Amino acid sequence: MDLNELRTRKEKIDVYLAEQGWDVTDRASVILEVDTRQSDFLACSYKTVAETLKNDLESKYVDYLLLDSLGAPLAIIEAKRTSKDPLIGQKQAEQYADDIKRQTGKDVFIFLSNGYEIWFWDRERYPLRQLKGFYAQKDLERLRFQNARIDPERLIEVNTRIVDRPKSIENVKRVLEHLYKGHRKALIVMATGTGKTRVAMAIIDALLRENRAQRVLFLADRKALRDQAWNKGFLEFFPHEAKDKILHGKFNQEKRLYVSTIQTFQEIYTRMDESGQYLISPGEFDLIISDEAHRSIYNKWRDVFTYLDAVQIGLTATPAELVDRDTFRFFQCDGAMPTALYSYDEAVRDGVLVDFRKSILGAQTHFQIEGLRPADLTESERSRLIEQGIDPDDIDFEGTELEKKVAVKGTSEAIVREFMENCLMDLAGTLPAKSIFFAISKKHARRLHEAFDDLYPEYRGRLARIIVSDDPRADALIHDFEHESFPRVAISVDMLDTGIDVPEVCNLVFAKPVFSKIKFWQMLGRGTRSDSACKHREWLPDGHKEYFKVFDFWNNFEYWNMNPEGVKNEPTEAITSRIFLLRLKQLACLLEQGDGERVAVVRQRIEEDIRSLPMDSVSVREHEREIAKALSPNLWDNVGVDPLEYLKSTIMPLMRFQTGVNLNVASFTLKAERLGLAVLEGNEKEIERLAPEIGGMVDHLPRTLNVVREKEERLDEVLSHAFWKGLSFEDAAGLIEDVAPLMRYMSKEAYEPIVIDMGDIIKERTFWTLAEEAPEYEVAFRETVERRVTDLADHSPAIQKILRDEPISEEDLRGLEEALSEAGVNVTDEMLQASPRHPHGTLIEFIRSLFGLYEAPDPRKKIEEAFRTYMIENNKRYSADQLHFIRTIQTVFMRRKHIVMDDLFLAPFTNFGSTAPVPMFDEDDLVAFIGICQGLERELFAVEA
């Protein structure tokens, strides 16, 4: 529909303004057709077209002038008719804004609109960008306040109370520099456990201090991540800021910091009050942090981010090479490169995370490998199955079907026993260190839990606990697992795959197959926290955490070796969109067959789908023209448009916005629509495939409910073989009409596996090592020297004195060196420096370290601490690239143990470009870096004369 400019303003723009609290009839907030040449904006005296049109003075009329709460100019709107591109009014609006600025000395914000599109121009800071609605008055006033107080020349200082690791400081700087250049989106990829929440908090802190943000929303895709941001972020680092946790539609809008889940916010972001005004305007927040963004931006959740016009920063622990390209595109990254990156390998090298790749135990039971056949059943088990109405000769399952179609109690017991006999234990060596079991289903989790209680009754049910999302005590159980000695083992189905932060976890047990590499890495991330993050030493092996152990009972590591890319989990269309697409395919088939009667029926269903779209949703409303065209009879009589292709490309994606969708109902409807299409195409194979799927869902409806019992005769008909013989298109449609609505009552775990009460044993073990072993010369050195010194200890007076910490004379030392030499150990400075145990020090310290009586200072830690201290104290002076350069000096020095000024002009430093190291740094900086290295070299690596 093409509306002229007046109708566009009355029927579109005025309405959208009212939705954000702007009343076009109230001259205290909105004035129409203001003369920008003859008005006195400084005195707030505004003349309209009615007052100046007929005089001889120069006039220019802006369509809308939006005023602040004191009546001063705040923003202008340039309107165009619906058929015109609103951007053609940019220059015109700019002239109006210049007229106002010449008088007031202050810029105003600019909106451009044709009733369907709204564009916003904050020309002091950003180029034009498209919005989903107008800003509310309070949000424009807040934005103006920020613009007036931002100092673009101010150096960026990172709050080292929040982040104190050099890489974290660098990443904070990198994101802030990116935003200060005018970008409004950024993506941070940091391995689990490296402190991405702290990095987010440091960014928030800097933006608050710089007046670049005043209202911040932290969105997570699950409650655990939301609570982590609240407890370990906002409460810890912003104790005095006004903050709130958004749990439902009504929340205190006078705070500054908010946390919520994307699910909660998706339900409320377009909610209106009784007057038809949106509770949340597009400008409600200045900054949005999206934790695990790659999971949150797809389907209709993505529209939360497109509605809210804020600086948006995505956080994810997914390895950069696994992040979906759409995520990079959404956050406007350059190719497949995130704004800031800290990989797992780099974090392990830095000592920030611990490695798992040295300790992976793969194991499988007899039935996992061989499967379960009738011949395996004992006589008692055959009798028990017959009593249950199950034919024992039908028990014929592959190992991959365990815990899906059949469950063997002994398999769970064998897994638990293998874990208990091989897991990393606590300091006392009597209990497992903190451990997580990943189970296939809730019933599988219960069987594992029963195995713990049956095999180890001495713990009186405290050793292991099940933690699942639908347990109302889940949060309390997670708290106990994190803060209390018991439980030591958390058995979970999906809930603990991500988000939980228990640094003391030392064992991970994969009692399920995982076919998503992203999810696999997320699950492994539950154990990567380093020793420094652990508070409860008594829960750790020997009181510290060097690595964590992985138990793989489903050959996941073998699968990833064979299938490095795993199962491609491309984002799929919403289920409602897929239903719509199937109906389009049915319609295409019927049109080709010339079945006019059925064409009319399917077209009616399609039109009902389109009319069910919520037109008050801002995400749907912007497609109003396309929807009107789709519902027009002219669409089907237009030689210039393929109606089916039009509906597929423009309307099908909108189906994700349908409201009140029950997943079980929609899933059954999808299968029924596939069945209808298969009938039309004569695809018998597809019909045979769908029959057990549809029948399985029908069979698991609870007939104890009255609403289901009333349809019992119909359900029995659908389950009968007769129903599936000679199936018609109308039969398939009938399933949608009278069976699909019942699916909302279907039990959550539809398939009940057959449980076999028999024993099982571990039949095969595999020990995986994915990390490199120590070099052979180190192993040989350690074995040879330690063996020969130990052999001498019992009859060497010098060694006995050293072990008793008694004074030792020069004669004793000479005698010891001769004894060692005769035993094949040549004592030299080079030998002492090559020792893996003691790379620098005296012979006495070397021998005492072999017997655990002396721990040599770790040169790596000394070097890290020296550079870390320098970067923390001087972070304000350096950019992210400069900090990266300094960290590279640290890495090179750690490897070479010696650096001079000339080295800074050679590789790898030349990789930083032509500005490195000069003029990236001045001479004083370079001298300081070399000075740090020389001091460390004298302290750690100098050879005594």
Side-chain angles (χ1 to χ4, degrees):
M1 184 185 299
D2 180 20
L3 304 179
N4 62 30
E5 184 177 319
L6 180 60
R7 289 188 61 192
T8 298
R9 288 165 53 179
K10 292 287 186 184
E11 298 177 26
K12 300 287 186 184
I13 297 176
D14 290 2
V15 173
Y16 301 158
L17 283 169
E19 290 175 348
Q20 303 300 342
W22 299 99
D23 183 355
V24 296
T25 65
D26 180 9
R27 281 181 59 93
S29 61
V30 184
I31 304 178
L32 305 179
E33 298 184 332
V34 174
D35 191 332
T36 61
R37 290 301 175 91
Q38 297 190 39
S39 295
D40 187 342
F41 292 100
L42 202 57
C44 300
S45 175
Y46 311 116
K47 296 185 178 181
T48 65
V49 63
E51 300 171 88
T52 66
L53 181 62
K54 296 183 179 179
N55 67 32
D56 296 331
L57 300 177
E58 183 183 6
S59 295
K60 284 186 179 179
Y61 301 103
V62 63
D63 294 318
Y64 297 79
L65 176 65
L66 307 184
L67 306 177
D68 65 17
S69 53
L70 299 177
L74 184 59
I76 61 173
I77 303 174
E78 175 59 26
K80 297 298 177 189
R81 66 185 302 154
T82 57
S83 61
K84 287 191 175 183
D85 183 347
L87 299 185
I88 65 174
Q90 180 179 3
K91 183 61 179 178
Q92 194 176 349
E94 188 175 20
Q95 292 173 343
Y96 301 148
D98 288 342
D99 287 343
I100 296 171
K101 188 174 183 179
R102 268 191 292 271
Q103 293 189 34
T104 64
K106 300 176 181 178
D107 216 339
V108 292
F109 302 107
I110 296 173
F111 293 96
L112 309 173
S113 180
N114 65 354
Y116 289 116
E117 298 176 21
I118 299 173
W119 290 79
F120 179 61
W121 194 9
D122 174 6
R123 57 184 189 158
E124 288 189 16
R125 294 174 63 190
Y126 299 108
L128 276 164
R129 60 183 184 269
Q130 192 170 2
L131 306 183
K132 298 289 186 178
F134 291 103
Y135 270 50
Q137 184 186 69
K138 62 181 177 56
D139 300 322
L140 287 174
E141 289 180 328
R142 188 180 72 254
L143 190 58
R144 182 179 63 184
F145 172 87
Q146 293 167 17
N147 287 355
R149 283 158 179 77
I150 290 173
D151 180 4
E153 302 302 320
R154 185 173 176 178
L155 295 174
I156 301 172
E157 183 174 10
V158 177
N159 187 340
T160 54
R161 186 179 67 85
I162 301 176
V163 289
D164 58 359
R165 294 174 182 155
K167 183 63 177 183
S168 294
I169 295 172
E170 178 190 324
N171 279 349
V172 172
K173 286 258 187 174
R174 198 166 295 286
V175 172
L176 291 173
E177 290 168 6
H178 181 74
L179 297 179
Y180 290 5
K181 290 176 183 176
H183 297 281
R184 292 181 57 81
K185 292 190 177 186
L187 179 64
I188 301 172
V189 176
M190 295 180 66
T192 299
T194 55
K196 60 185 173 69
T197 301
R198 280 178 170 257
V199 165
M201 295 301 140
I203 291 170
I204 292 170
D205 173 78
L207 293 176
L208 290 174
R209 284 188 285 109
E210 296 285 334
N211 291 308
R212 291 175 182 267
Q214 292 173 278
R215 289 172 60 81
V216 178
L217 174 64
F218 192 107
L219 281 178
D221 82 326
R222 60 192 306 169
K223 292 179 182 178
L225 292 175
R226 176 201 66 192
D227 294 342
Q228 180 176 300
W230 177 259
N231 296 321
K232 298 182 178 180
F234 287 172
L235 291 183
E236 183 173 351
F237 300 117
F238 303 99
H240 305 300
E241 288 285 0
K243 48 192 168 291
D244 194 15
K245 188 185 291 187
I246 302 175
L247 304 176
H248 44 71
K250 291 185 178 179
F251 65 96
N252 187 338
Q253 293 183 273
E254 300 303 317
K255 307 291 186 180
R256 279 167 49 97
L257 306 179
Y258 299 88
V259 295
S260 185
T261 62
I262 187 69
Q263 293 88 340
T264 296
F265 221 79
Q266 188 264 323
E267 295 299 325
I268 67 174
Y269 78 103
T270 55
R271 192 170 292 179
M272 293 181 169
D273 62 17
E274 298 79 5
S275 66
Q277 181 177 336
Y278 280 106
L279 299 178
I280 298 172
S281 99
E284 189 78 23
F285 302 99
D286 306 309
L287 172 66
I288 297 175
I289 306 287
S290 172
D291 200 356
E292 294 303 346
H294 64 287
R295 293 201 297 262
S296 302
I297 68 171
Y298 298 120
N299 297 326
K300 60 184 180 180
W301 293 348
R302 177 172 183 158
D303 295 279
V304 173
F305 299 103
T306 55
Y307 174 75
L308 296 172
D309 181 52
V311 170
Q312 296 174 3
I313 299 174
L315 303 179
T316 182
T318 299
E321 64 272 17
L322 300 181
V323 175
D324 190 273
R325 60 183 180 275
D326 286 339
T327 302
F328 286 115
R329 186 156 51 245
F330 183 86
F331 287 100
Q332 298 173 358
C333 297
D334 183 11
M337 191 64 182
T339 315
L341 173 66
Y342 197 15
S343 70
Y344 175 70
D345 287 335
E346 186 179 1
V348 169
R349 288 195 299 270
D350 291 347
V352 173
L353 297 181
V354 296
D355 210 342
F356 67 91
R357 293 169 293 193
K358 301 174 186 176
S359 186
I360 303 167
L361 171 61
Q364 287 206 303
T365 70
H366 169 80
F367 289 126
Q368 281 183 298
I369 296 169
E370 302 295 339
L372 185 63
R373 313 300 175 199
D376 296 317
L377 300 174
T378 63
E379 285 303 317
S380 62
E381 196 60 20
R382 290 179 69 89
S383 299
R384 192 180 67 82
L385 291 172
I386 291 171
E387 290 174 5
Q388 294 179 1
I390 300 172
D391 185 349
D393 292 326
D394 288 340
I395 301 299
D396 189 5
F397 298 102
E398 300 299 327
T400 55
E401 296 177 299
L402 285 176
E403 292 300 336
K404 297 174 184 175
K405 295 183 178 180
V406 66
V408 180
K409 286 188 176 181
T411 303
S412 295
E413 292 169 356
I415 288 172
V416 167
R417 190 181 296 110
E418 182 76 1
F419 163 76
M420 289 294 287
E421 292 175 358
N422 295 280
C423 67
L424 293 177
M425 305 295 279
D426 64 5
L427 177 62
T430 57
L431 287 169
K434 289 286 182 174
S435 310
I436 297 176
F437 267 65
F438 301 114
I440 293 173
S441 65
K442 292 171 188 173
K443 289 184 172 64
H444 182 216
R446 284 197 289 273
R447 278 185 278 277
L448 290 167
H449 184 256
E450 289 169 6
F452 272 105
D453 287 349
D454 292 344
L455 295 173
Y456 305 97
E458 62 268 30
Y459 297 111
R460 299 186 296 280
R462 297 191 305 150
L463 184 62
R465 298 300 295 269
I466 299 171
I467 303 178
V468 291
S469 58
D470 59 357
D471 187 339
R473 300 166 297 127
D475 289 341
L477 288 169
I478 290 174
H479 179 274
D480 289 348
F481 183 62
E482 184 174 355
H483 298 285
E484 305 296 335
S485 181
F486 289 95
R488 287 302 176 92
V489 179
I491 307 171
S492 175
V493 183
D494 294 333
M495 187 173 184
L496 302 185
D497 293 358
T498 62
I500 187 168
D501 182 17
V502 183
E504 291 83 1
V505 167
C506 292
N507 300 295
L508 294 180
V509 181
F510 285 85
K512 63 182 289 185
V514 184
F515 300 111
S516 163
K517 200 163 190 178
I518 290 176
K519 188 171 186 179
F520 190 56
W521 270 100
Q522 290 167 351
M523 295 162 81
L524 288 169
R526 299 313 100 208
T528 58
R529 301 302 197 277
S530 68
D531 181 75
S532 61
C534 298
K535 298 178 181 178
H536 301 278
R537 297 282 152 190
E538 68 277 14
W539 300 349
L540 302 175
D542 298 324
H544 59 275
K545 182 177 179 180
E546 293 183 2
Y547 65 97
F548 68 100
K549 192 166 188 175
V550 178
F551 292 80
D552 180 11
F553 290 100
W554 279 91
N555 282 341
N556 287 294
F557 284 93
E558 181 177 337
Y559 172 81
W560 291 114
N561 268 5
M562 298 295 294
N563 304 275
E565 298 303 319
V567 175
K568 291 289 187 180
N569 284 325
E570 296 291 339
T572 58
E573 290 288 348
I575 193 167
T576 46
S577 296
R578 285 181 277 157
I579 291 170
F580 189 80
L581 178 59
L582 282 169
R583 289 172 177 167
L584 292 178
K585 289 181 177 180
Q586 291 174 3
L587 184 57
C589 191
L590 291 169
L591 287 169
E592 187 176 335
Q593 294 173 5
D595 192 336
E597 186 175 342
R598 286 175 171 172
V599 164
V601 171
V602 176
R603 268 184 60 176
Q604 183 178 349
R605 283 189 212 155
I606 291 171
E607 289 177 2
E608 287 172 357
D609 283 342
I610 298 173
R611 289 192 173 91
S612 72
L613 290 171
M615 293 305 299
D616 57 344
S617 163
V618 291
S619 299
V620 175
R621 188 171 62 192
E622 65 177 318
H623 299 282
E624 186 179 347
R625 283 179 290 189
E626 291 89 342
I627 293 171
K629 183 175 180 178
L631 291 172
S632 171
N634 295 332
L635 176 67
W636 302 93
D637 189 26
N638 186 338
V639 296
V641 176
D642 179 343
L644 293 175
E645 186 58 37
Y646 179 81
L647 292 173
K648 178 182 176 182
S649 61
T650 61
I651 304 302
M652 186 186 76
L654 301 180
M655 288 297 134
R656 69 183 187 272
F657 298 113
Q658 282 185 332
T659 57
V661 177
N662 178 278
L663 184 57
N664 284 340
V665 173
S667 179
F668 185 85
T669 300
L670 183 70
K671 296 179 190 299
E673 293 292 10
R674 283 177 177 158
L675 181 64
L677 181 61
V679 170
L680 293 177
E681 294 176 340
N683 189 342
E684 292 295 333
K685 189 174 181 179
E686 178 71 355
I687 295 172
E688 289 177 11
R689 187 188 70 80
L690 289 166
E693 291 187 11
I694 292 173
M697 294 185 74
V698 172
D699 193 40
H700 285 86
L701 286 171
R703 300 200 182 193
T704 53
L705 296 178
N706 288 334
V707 67
V708 177
R709 192 183 304 120
E710 290 171 0
K711 296 277 188 177
E712 194 162 20
E713 186 176 340
R714 171 62 168 155
L715 299 179
D716 288 339
E717 178 193 358
V718 173
L719 290 172
S720 69
H721 288 284
F723 176 81
W724 295 90
K725 292 180 180 178
L727 196 72
S728 69
F729 180 72
E730 285 68 28
D731 289 332
L735 293 174
I736 299 171
E737 184 177 341
D738 50 26
V739 179
L742 300 176
M743 289 300 148
R744 66 182 69 251
Y745 306 109
M746 194 179 77
S747 58
K748 291 183 178 179
E749 292 196 22
Y751 196 93
E752 181 71 43
I754 300 169
V755 179
I756 306 296
D757 191 357
M758 289 172 51
D760 198 359
I761 59 170
I762 296 294
K763 184 175 181 178
E764 185 179 277
R765 291 183 179 88
T766 306
F767 295 93
W768 292 85
T769 302
L770 305 183
E772 292 183 1
E773 296 288 351
E776 289 185 12
Y777 71 86
E778 286 192 10
V779 176
F781 180 94
R782 181 167 60 246
E783 292 176 349
T784 301
V785 174
E786 291 183 12
R787 183 176 65 251
R788 293 176 180 175
V789 171
T790 304
D791 291 343
L792 285 172
D794 291 338
H795 52 271
S796 170
I799 293 180
Q800 289 298 316
K801 285 185 177 181
I802 291 172
L803 297 183
R804 291 193 298 267
D805 201 20
E806 295 177 359
I808 188 166
S809 66
E810 289 292 330
E811 185 178 347
D812 290 330
L813 277 177
R814 281 196 298 272
L816 176 57
E817 289 179 5
E818 290 174 3
L820 286 172
S821 179
E822 290 175 4
V825 178
N826 186 25
V827 180
T828 64
D829 292 321
E830 288 76 13
M831 182 210 78
L832 293 177
Q833 291 185 53
S835 167
R837 281 184 182 266
H838 189 50
H840 176 69
T842 66
L843 175 60
I844 294 173
E845 291 171 339
F846 169 67
I847 291 176
R848 296 194 71 211
S849 71
L850 290 181
F851 289 88
L853 300 176
Y854 174 76
E855 184 175 352
D858 186 347
R860 180 188 183 91
K861 289 183 179 179
K862 285 265 189 180
I863 295 168
E864 287 176 349
E865 184 60 29
F867 277 92
R868 175 175 168 271
T869 300
Y870 182 84
M871 284 185 273
I872 287 174
E873 292 176 351
N874 296 278
N875 84 81
K876 186 176 182 179
R877 294 172 49 200
Y878 298 124
S879 69
D881 285 339
Q882 288 175 311
L883 290 172
H884 188 192
F885 189 99
I886 297 170
R887 291 181 68 245
T888 303
I889 296 175
Q890 172 188 322
T891 301
V892 172
F893 177 72
M894 199 175 294
R895 186 172 64 248
R896 298 179 183 173
K897 303 181 178 59
H898 177 75
I899 280 186
V900 296
M901 185 71 74
D902 289 348
D903 292 331
L904 302 182
F905 294 83
L906 304 173
F909 302 104
T910 52
N911 296 335
F912 284 83
S914 59
T915 62
V918 177
M920 178 183 280
F921 297 99
D922 59 30
E923 185 177 352
D924 290 342
D925 287 322
L926 298 180
V927 169
F929 304 153
I930 298 301
I932 293 172
C933 295
Q934 289 175 343
L936 288 167
E937 184 178 352
R938 286 191 297 270
E939 178 184 356
L940 299 174
F941 306 121
V943 178
E944 295 181 7

